[in-house]
Amino acid sequence: MSLAKRAQHESRFIDDRLGSSGFLKTQLNKVFPDHWSFMLGEIALYSFIILLLTGVYLSFFFQASPAETIYNGSYVPLKGVTVSQAYATTLDISFDVRAGLVMRQIHHWSALLFVAAISVHLCRVFFTGAFRKPRELNWTIGVGLLTLGIVEGFLGYSLPDDLLSGTGIRIGYSIVQSIPFLGSWLGFLVFGGEYPGTEIIQRLYVIHILLIPGIILALISAHLAMVWHQKHTQFRGPGRTENNVVGSRLWPKYAANGSAYFFVVFAMCGLLGGLAQINPIWLYGPYDPANVSAASQPDWYMGWLDGSTRLFMPWEFRGAGVTLSPLFWPAIIMPGLIFTAMALYPTLEAKFTGDRQYHNLLDRPRDNPTRTAIGAASIGFYIVLWISGGNDVIASTFRISLNAMTWVGRIACITVAPITYIFTKRICIALQKRDEELRTHGIESGLIRQLPSGEFIEVSIPLPDPAPIELTPAEPIEEGPSGDGARREGTLVGRAGRAVSGFFVNRETGPPGS
Amino acid sequence: MSHVTNARSAPRRRPLPATLVVLLGLFVIAGVWLLVAPRSKAQGTGDNAATVTKGRVLFERGCSSCHGLHGEGTNQAPTLIGVGAAAADFQLTTGRMPLPAPGAEAERRDPIYPPEQIEALSAYVGSLAPGPPIPSIGDQQWKDADLAEGGELFRANCASCHQAAGKGGALTYGKHAPALSEATPVEALEAIRTGPENMPVFSPTQIKDDQAVAIAKYVQFVTNPPDPGGAGLGHLGPIPEGLVIWLIGMTGVAAAALWIGSRQA
Amino acid sequence: MSDSDNRETGPDSPNSPEGADRGWETGGSVFDRSKTGSGAAATGGGAGSGEQALLPAGTSRGTDRAKTAPVPAFVGPYATILAREEHPDREEVDRRSYRRGVRLVTFWFALAGVAAVAFIVLNFAGDVHKEYYTPVLGICIGVAMAGLGFGLVVWNKRLMPDEEAVQERHPLHSSPDDVVAFEEDFARGYQETGVGRHKVLRRTLLAAAGLLGLAPLAMIFNFGSIPHGELQVTRWTRGARLATRDGVALRLGDLPIGGIATVYPAIPDQNGKFVALTDNQTAADSTVMLIRLRPGEDQPVPGRETWSVEGHVAYSKICTHAGCPVGLYERTTQHLLCPCHQSTFLVTQHCLPIFGPAARPLPQLPIAVDADGYFIAQSDFIEPVGPSWWSRT
């Protein structure tokens, strides 16, 4: 039987029982826009699959037990040392289990890539306004996936019970304890008693391999189902409207691209897993509450929290029989506020702009200067905290004073965001104006011509009619009374600006000579 | 009276110029000095008192301006009385001393003094008051040193400043605990016993001699460990790992997306 | 250009005449059609129409293949193909480039196969203790996956026809009739349950459901215990000796000036032998730093002059900020630095925090020396060690 005939036979077999052909016919012809930046979320999906596959392999060899054992594997510098079973089995995976270390390293690199991909995908969605109606719910699910990914990674690298991650668990316990009213009770609840107890590794294990992966799987399914049903957004361009999708059909092109990309992502994780050593727990030794290593950092996606904790001032409030630890603000309140604001952002933006329309066409970042500026300022703030999380390593590597780095971080985390906001907004408006120039006056040719009247004019080449759609703004440029493109009239900043600008220059007549 | 002068047979004598006489005299004195003056090269360690004396001379010339004429210390440098020969040997062999400028941070450099002079200076400093002597490690002692015990002691006493893999770390106000990759075992022992700069001092009752040797052996191991997982990335932990995932992992995968997907809107 | 006009507005009529004869709806298997590669070429489209042009004149996707009149290759209720490259046929001029593409794809797939085999061989035959083992395994996986991936990409780009398809978006919200009908159905059903009418039913249902929901919550509390003062005390007691991790109790004179030692409590067992408690549970709150200062250097808190012995002072090693061990002692500046968040404590001033996020000094352990010269604790700390919590007194 030829391949075509065989495939036909199989598909009719299934259709007889499930009625699948009609459904599949629709789905195979679904059109997906194929801009490269729409593939960034796929990186996260594929790394999650890699995490599941490698994680299953590891879970057969790992024992999440705190019971003490004397290590007797092949890593000589730890032979005879008393360690927990969790640490010993991780050493076994790294040194004695066949393909153990490569699977462990692929697992860890994929985890780092998972959160990195979510972050990049989030930025793409944010700066293009893809989260607007009808996709607000999908955005919130995405923020949930980001949070879960970060927590899952933290739990994962804490399982081996080594000195580096154990220090992080200790700090985590202190953060839980700092919660008002409930802190010490919650700490005893999570750890099964006073720190460190004997329960925590086993509990982290169950959450790491069962609970959170289950929730992530469910959320990813909902996330993809919504994208599927609502259809992907697309950039403005020739032939693209709010009411269509232009791209390639699922079968065969889009499916081929997607599977190809899966293998490419797997290839990157595989190469990293073999060629770049990650988390060499044997160098840190087993966890001991009395020991710590210099240059102790969490994995990259938690660096911003380490930074915020390092930078915060020693403000502890004591009175009326209660104490509010300085850990509470940078480690609980700040991330809580940020994640909540992120999750609610579509609603907040819709509220402040009064925008209740459907949006299937994407903005370019310049099309919405306020949103882009908010995003850029947030990234700037995040990067300051991120760098501060490694300030001791930077201080040691570049021979800078540690204390100076802390103070620079403290000042920067307050000043960088507003400065970035102002700069970014100005740049976006300027880019919009440049597009408008191109659209209305054409390209500058560099030629100057003198008219018979003696006047000099610049010759410009008009763009083809109709002008490229990309140059058309999504919405008109926000012009304010000062004519600089910033809509600020009614806001506090606007009123303050008016008060200030009239101080030096007469606002009615403008600067002298104009 | 008439005298006969034989102008031809008696060559005319000119008196030597005064400068030539002076130069000649200087040469003679130099030659005598070279013959008589003590050699700077040591003839051997057998003569301890001579070494100490030589050390004192060197000390007065090169160290006393900061450390005081008898090593008692000034407001520019601490006292060396009681620090022991090991301290001087460590500081001089690693080139930390003499400091390039007062108040500069002492960092490992090429040593200024040759080994014989270091030996003499150390002997002199050691003679000021009882202190840790220059340690030596026997071959059998080195072989018997337990790497695992050294690792445990290193992680308990050293890693908090020098980092778990001996990469060094930051201290307060611009100071830092150095990386240990260039430290020889003897230097490690000396540092443990003498506490250079801001390092604490560990006495033999606290860390026994064979334990200190074990630590030195572990330091040698961990500063150049085998990396079964690939490139070691500096053994600095999550920071280089994060850089790799962004600069190589994410960049590479995004580049692949640029290749696979379309670039038009 | 009527064809294009129809295409622009999307396929309102599924059975438009131009589409019917494209073989999609005239029966036959999809797989047969894919084998024969049917579908006339079409590039560009909709040029010069008054409405918004789908593709501006001159736009072409992919390489410049032979262009025929802008006739879509594929029309159906689910997607309209705007532009489709001419399918490279064996008899065409681009045959060579097509064959090159096939060779390239074959190369990548072959490479992937070789790498997969290498992985399998190494998995069985490789020496897990050699340094090449993991890197080569990773390279095998990477090359195998990359081979598959690159092969598929090249196949997609060079061997499959390029296309740009358009699909209409239908409004996401249901028709107003459906919305109303659903709401009515739901409301009617709710009415039929009678829950709205019977307050007692409603309230008892809510109460039962709520209490049942609390049951698993109650079980969560089985995970932990209630703090009963464990946070207030450590294992230090009066007379406990200060022992190193090896179990050696320290005596006066063991530490040189400028020396430090991490010490644990050593409690006498029933035979009177002092046993050091160095387990993790004890270490987590009872680890202490014993530091020997120069005589006269220490400036004790008034009332605590008897807590130190000949310049020896003892402080909790557990940082009051987040609990990391504060191990970085700077001998000349008397700073005690915590490496986690850079809290700095001044040892000569009862470990007062002078920099960083810690807000409280390290608790001091009152020590003395017993008759045999051993350091002993006078009592437990007079305050809880470690980071703060809400009800900390």
Side-chain angles (χ1 to χ4, degrees):
Chain A
M1 205 192 274
S2 75
L3 191 61
K5 268 258 166 349
R6 166 127 240 149
Q8 181 184 8
H9 179 84
E10 299 299 331
S11 87
R12 295 222 173 142
F13 178 90
I14 305 279
D15 183 65
D16 277 345
R17 287 148 184 79
L18 295 178
S20 51
S21 292
F23 170 77
L24 287 175
K25 184 179 68 169
T26 320
Q27 303 313 318
L28 289 184
N29 284 298
K30 236 174 139 52
V31 173
F32 288 88
D34 48 10
H35 194 259
W36 69 271
S37 68
F38 300 161
M39 299 172 70
L40 297 173
E42 288 174 45
I43 305 172
L45 174 66
Y46 302 147
S47 2
F48 184 68
I49 295 174
I50 298 169
L51 283 170
L52 289 177
L53 294 171
T54 51
V56 166
Y57 186 78
L58 293 174
S59 63
F60 281 110
F61 297 101
F62 177 74
Q63 277 188 46
S65 162
E68 288 189 342
T69 175
I70 296 181
Y71 177 69
N72 199 23
S74 53
Y75 183 65
V76 170
L78 284 172
K79 245 184 153 82
V81 177
T82 305
V83 302
S84 63
Q85 279 276 41
Y87 189 74
T89 49
T90 312
L91 287 176
D92 290 339
I93 289 174
S94 305
F95 291 106
D96 292 303
V97 169
R98 306 191 67 79
L101 186 59
V102 74
M103 285 293 134
R104 202 188 131 228
Q105 299 201 149
I106 293 179
H107 191 78
H108 202 143
W109 283 118
S110 311
L112 300 190
L113 189 62
F114 179 61
V115 185
I118 295 180
S119 310
V120 174
H121 172 65
L122 181 147
C123 288
R124 197 284 294 167
V125 168
F126 181 83
F127 286 113
T128 55
F131 54 83
R132 292 173 293 176
K133 182 173 180 179
R135 296 174 178 85
E136 306 98 316
L137 197 53
N138 226 6
W139 166 269
T140 310
I141 291 180
V143 172
L145 282 168
L146 174 65
T147 318
L148 284 173
I150 291 174
V151 171
E152 178 79 343
F154 172 69
L155 298 184
Y157 73 73
S158 303
L159 291 177
D161 196 28
D162 59 292
L163 185 60
L164 183 61
S165 64
T167 309
I169 297 283
R170 182 20 160 151
I171 297 172
Y173 173 76
S174 310
I175 292 174
V176 169
Q177 281 219 304
S178 74
I179 297 174
F181 300 107
L182 302 171
S184 48
W185 297 55
L186 277 176
F188 272 53
L189 186 71
V190 172
F191 282 79
E194 194 185 8
Y195 181 84
T198 51
E199 307 300 319
I200 189 62
I201 298 290
Q202 170 67 19
R203 291 178 182 182
L204 295 188
Y205 191 50
V206 170
I207 299 173
H208 179 80
I209 70 171
L210 190 59
L211 289 183
I212 295 189
I215 301 175
I216 289 182
L217 264 174
L219 287 182
I220 287 183
S221 309
H223 197 74
L224 289 178
M226 275 200 260
V227 173
W228 197 275
H229 176 62
Q230 294 177 325
K231 298 192 179 43
H232 203 281
T233 50
Q234 60 189 351
F235 286 105
R236 282 176 290 124
R240 288 142 169 93
T241 69
E242 281 281 354
N243 298 314
N244 69 7
V245 195
V246 177
S248 28
R249 285 171 299 158
L250 176 64
W251 182 258
K253 278 205 86 81
Y254 197 76
N257 267 344
S259 0
Y261 204 41
F262 168 70
F263 290 113
V264 169
V265 170
F266 210 141
M268 176 59 80
C269 292
L271 286 173
L272 285 174
L275 297 175
Q277 187 168 271
I278 183 169
N279 200 21
I281 52 151
W282 51 90
L283 293 179
Y284 290 101
Y287 176 62
D288 185 329
N291 291 354
V292 68
S293 165
S296 286
Q297 264 83 20
D299 272 5
W300 80 261
Y301 42 81
M302 301 205 52
W304 64 296
L305 290 173
D306 194 10
S308 70
T309 313
R310 289 177 190 214
L311 293 181
F312 199 72
M313 301 294 288
W315 294 331
E316 182 170 281
F317 300 109
R318 269 166 266 159
V322 296
T323 309
L324 195 54
S325 161
L327 270 181
F328 180 62
W329 308 104
I332 304 253
I333 292 293
M334 187 209 68
L337 285 176
I338 287 181
F339 278 118
T340 309
M342 271 209 308
L344 295 178
Y345 186 82
T347 320
L348 293 172
E349 184 182 281
K351 192 163 176 198
F352 282 112
T353 57
D355 185 358
R356 307 236 176 274
Q357 288 181 313
Y358 283 91
H359 289 280
N360 293 313
L361 286 176
L362 294 171
D363 282 340
R364 293 162 89 201
R366 68 187 68 178
D367 291 333
N368 194 327
T370 308
R371 179 202 304 143
T372 305
I374 292 176
S378 311
I379 293 178
F381 177 70
Y382 178 88
I383 289 182
V384 168
L385 292 184
W386 198 22
I387 292 176
S388 298
N391 60 5
D392 58 339
V393 174
I394 296 175
S396 177
T397 309
F398 298 107
R399 298 288 195 271
I400 307 172
S401 156
L402 187 57
N403 306 64
M405 287 233 41
T406 307
W407 272 112
V408 166
R410 284 170 172 165
I411 295 172
C413 78
I414 302 174
T415 56
V416 163
I419 295 174
T420 313
Y421 180 90
I422 295 170
F423 266 99
T424 311
K425 189 154 183 184
R426 292 274 158 230
I427 291 172
C428 287
I429 294 172
L431 286 171
Q432 282 190 24
K433 290 198 156 165
R434 195 195 62 142
D435 287 348
E436 191 191 2
E437 279 285 315
L438 278 176
R439 214 170 48 246
T440 54
H441 294 121
I443 304 168
E444 293 178 1
S445 65
L447 299 173
I448 311 282
R449 193 195 294 163
Q450 185 172 30
L451 298 177
S453 56
E455 193 185 337
F456 284 100
I457 57 165
E458 186 186 358
V459 177
S460 54
I461 304 169
L463 292 176
D465 184 32
I469 287 175
E470 291 89 349
L471 288 182
T472 315
E475 281 138 21
I477 302 174
E478 310 160 356
E479 288 282 350
S482 44
D484 60 358
R487 181 176 67 197
R488 302 177 300 204
E489 302 94 48
T491 65
L492 182 63
V493 174
R495 294 203 299 273
R498 275 200 299 283
V500 168
S501 70
F503 188 75
F504 291 106
V505 170
N506 189 328
R507 292 189 68 254
E508 302 306 319
T509 59
S514 65
Chain B
M1 293 275 199
S2 66
H3 58 276
V4 178
T5 55
N6 193 343
R8 270 178 224 233
S9 57
R12 180 168 166 183
R13 290 216 179 121
R14 289 203 313 209
L16 280 174
T19 44
L20 213 56
V21 170
V22 171
L23 276 171
L24 208 60
L26 284 171
F27 277 123
V28 166
I29 294 171
V32 168
W33 183 87
L34 277 170
L35 284 169
V36 168
R39 287 275 181 276
S40 61
K41 280 199 183 331
Q43 298 303 319
T45 58
D47 196 356
N48 199 28
T51 316
V52 170
T53 313
K54 195 176 68 171
R56 180 172 57 77
V57 170
L58 289 165
F59 184 88
E60 284 167 4
R61 195 186 316 152
C63 320
S64 58
S65 53
C66 290
H67 283 287
L69 205 56
H70 304 292
E72 72 275 12
T74 63
N75 56 5
Q76 279 195 326
T79 176
L80 299 179
I81 299 175
V83 300
D89 185 51
F90 174 82
Q91 299 284 0
L92 295 166
T93 313
T94 61
R96 289 181 159 84
M97 289 291 149
L99 282 178
E105 186 173 4
E107 289 196 352
R108 179 181 278 269
R109 272 177 282 269
D110 288 331
I112 303 286
Y113 293 99
E116 321 77 51
Q117 292 189 353
I118 294 178
E119 193 188 339
L121 281 164
S122 310
Y124 171 68
V125 170
S127 72
L128 293 175
I134 297 178
S136 64
I137 306 175
D139 287 335
Q140 192 58 37
Q141 192 184 18
W142 183 257
K143 244 189 351 200
D144 289 341
D146 183 12
L147 204 56
E149 184 188 14
E152 283 194 293
L153 288 164
F154 180 83
R155 288 188 292 272
N157 293 297
C158 323
S160 58
C161 292
H162 287 285
Q163 202 256 348
K167 296 294 172 199
L171 299 174
T172 64
Y173 297 104
K175 304 186 287 292
H176 88 291
L180 304 177
S181 46
E182 293 177 85
T184 67
V186 167
E187 286 166 12
L189 254 57
E190 288 172 338
I192 292 172
R193 291 282 176 244
T194 65
E197 274 73 50
N198 271 294
M199 182 166 157
V201 187
F202 297 94
S203 71
T205 38
Q206 217 188 328
I207 294 183
K208 302 181 191 32
D209 282 335
D210 52 304
Q211 287 181 319
V213 173
I215 294 179
K217 191 169 179 179
Y218 186 76
V219 165
Q220 196 187 57
F221 166 81
V222 85
T223 47
N224 192 15
D227 290 324
L233 303 183
H235 307 113
L236 266 176
I239 291 182
E241 291 162 9
L243 287 173
V244 164
I245 198 62
W246 277 101
L247 298 177
I248 297 179
M250 196 64 224
T251 310
V253 165
L258 275 160
W259 178 42
I260 296 174
S262 88
R263 248 159 285 193
Q264 299 162 14
Chain C
M1 292 297 178
S2 58
D3 304 346
S4 329
D5 290 345
N6 279 346
R7 305 302 156 258
E8 286 163 41
T9 54
D12 291 323
S13 51
N15 298 314
S16 52
E18 286 76 11
D21 58 4
R22 288 299 165 225
W24 189 82
E25 298 187 60
T26 52
S29 152
V30 174
F31 305 102
D32 282 343
R33 283 199 298 280
S34 71
K35 240 179 34 161
T36 58
S38 71
T43 57
S49 63
E51 297 165 278
Q52 173 190 13
L54 288 163
L55 289 174
T59 307
S60 70
R61 287 196 22 95
T63 62
D64 280 323
R65 302 286 170 82
K67 291 183 182 38
T68 59
V71 173
F74 189 100
V75 170
Y78 305 105
T80 303
I81 308 302
L82 276 187
R84 190 181 173 86
E85 267 180 3
E86 187 161 69
H87 190 90
D89 208 48
R90 283 175 203 80
E91 271 68 52
E92 290 294 329
V93 173
D94 291 312
R95 171 175 33 156
R96 203 164 13 142
S97 129
Y98 184 82
R99 275 216 304 255
R100 255 206 311 262
V102 170
R103 271 201 298 271
L104 192 55
V105 174
T106 317
F107 162 75
W108 283 118
F109 287 162
L111 188 64
V114 166
V117 167
F119 177 89
I120 294 172
V121 166
L122 196 62
N123 182 63
F124 289 112
D127 184 353
V128 70
H129 298 120
K130 288 280 198 314
E131 274 210 52
Y132 73 79
Y133 183 77
T134 299
V136 175
L137 275 179
I139 291 174
C140 289
I141 296 175
V143 170
M145 295 295 172
L148 260 173
F150 289 176
L152 282 171
V153 174
V154 176
W155 191 341
N156 200 334
K157 278 179 177 293
R158 295 216 199 173
L159 306 182
M160 297 207 305
D162 225 2
E163 73 179 22
E164 193 158 85
V166 178
Q167 186 172 37
E168 190 179 349
R169 289 182 198 265
H170 299 289
L172 280 171
H173 55 79
S174 317
S175 70
D177 294 336
D178 274 342
V179 171
V180 170
F182 161 71
E183 286 167 8
E184 281 178 358
D185 283 346
F186 189 83
R188 192 185 328 116
Y190 182 74
Q191 261 240 325
E192 286 173 11
T193 63
V195 167
R197 286 195 303 274
H198 299 286
K199 220 172 12 177
V200 175
L201 276 183
R202 194 168 63 237
R203 292 202 175 148
T204 49
L205 173 63
L206 279 172
L211 288 169
L212 191 59
L214 279 181
L217 206 63
M219 288 202 297
I220 290 180
F221 283 100
N222 299 345
F223 282 22
S225 55
I226 299 176
H228 278 137
E230 294 95 323
L231 292 172
Q232 315 278 357
V233 297
T234 70
R235 298 299 298 271
W236 288 102
T237 58
R238 184 177 178 74
R241 288 186 180 167
L242 278 60
T244 63
R245 202 167 192 287
D246 297 337
V248 173
L250 291 178
R251 305 163 73 161
L252 196 59
D254 281 347
L255 281 189
I257 292 180
I260 59 165
T262 301
V263 292
Y264 304 77
I267 315 279
D269 59 9
Q270 62 260 45
N271 300 328
K273 186 164 143 39
F274 280 84
V275 174
L277 306 167
T278 56
D279 56 291
N280 275 4
Q281 191 67 37
T282 309
D285 66 359
S286 305
T287 316
V288 156
M289 286 281 267
L290 179 66
I291 306 171
R292 181 171 181 184
L293 302 169
R294 273 197 297 275
E297 216 176 4
D298 188 29
Q299 299 165 37
V301 170
R304 295 189 186 178
E305 295 85 352
T306 53
W307 288 23
S308 57
V309 182
E310 291 192 26
H312 294 78
V313 288
Y315 290 96
S316 167
K317 198 174 178 182
I318 312 298
C319 186
T320 53
H321 177 238
C324 293
V326 187
L328 285 78
Y329 174 62
E330 294 178 11
R331 181 169 62 85
T332 52
T333 57
Q334 303 300 347
H335 292 158
L336 200 52
L337 173 68
C338 183
C340 288
H341 308 107
Q342 285 84 54
S343 300
T344 310
F345 304 91
L346 191 53
V347 177
T348 48
Q349 286 199 27
H350 68 280
C351 283
L352 189 70
I354 58 170
F355 189 81
R360 276 185 296 103
L362 297 174
Q364 185 173 6
L365 183 71
I367 55 171
V369 171
D370 71 4
D372 300 320
Y374 289 101
F375 287 105
I376 55 165
Q378 297 181 32
S379 68
D380 196 356
F381 297 92
I382 62 163
E383 53 172 336
V385 303
S388 316
W389 68 97
W390 182 251
S391 43
R392 181 184 190 278
T393 48

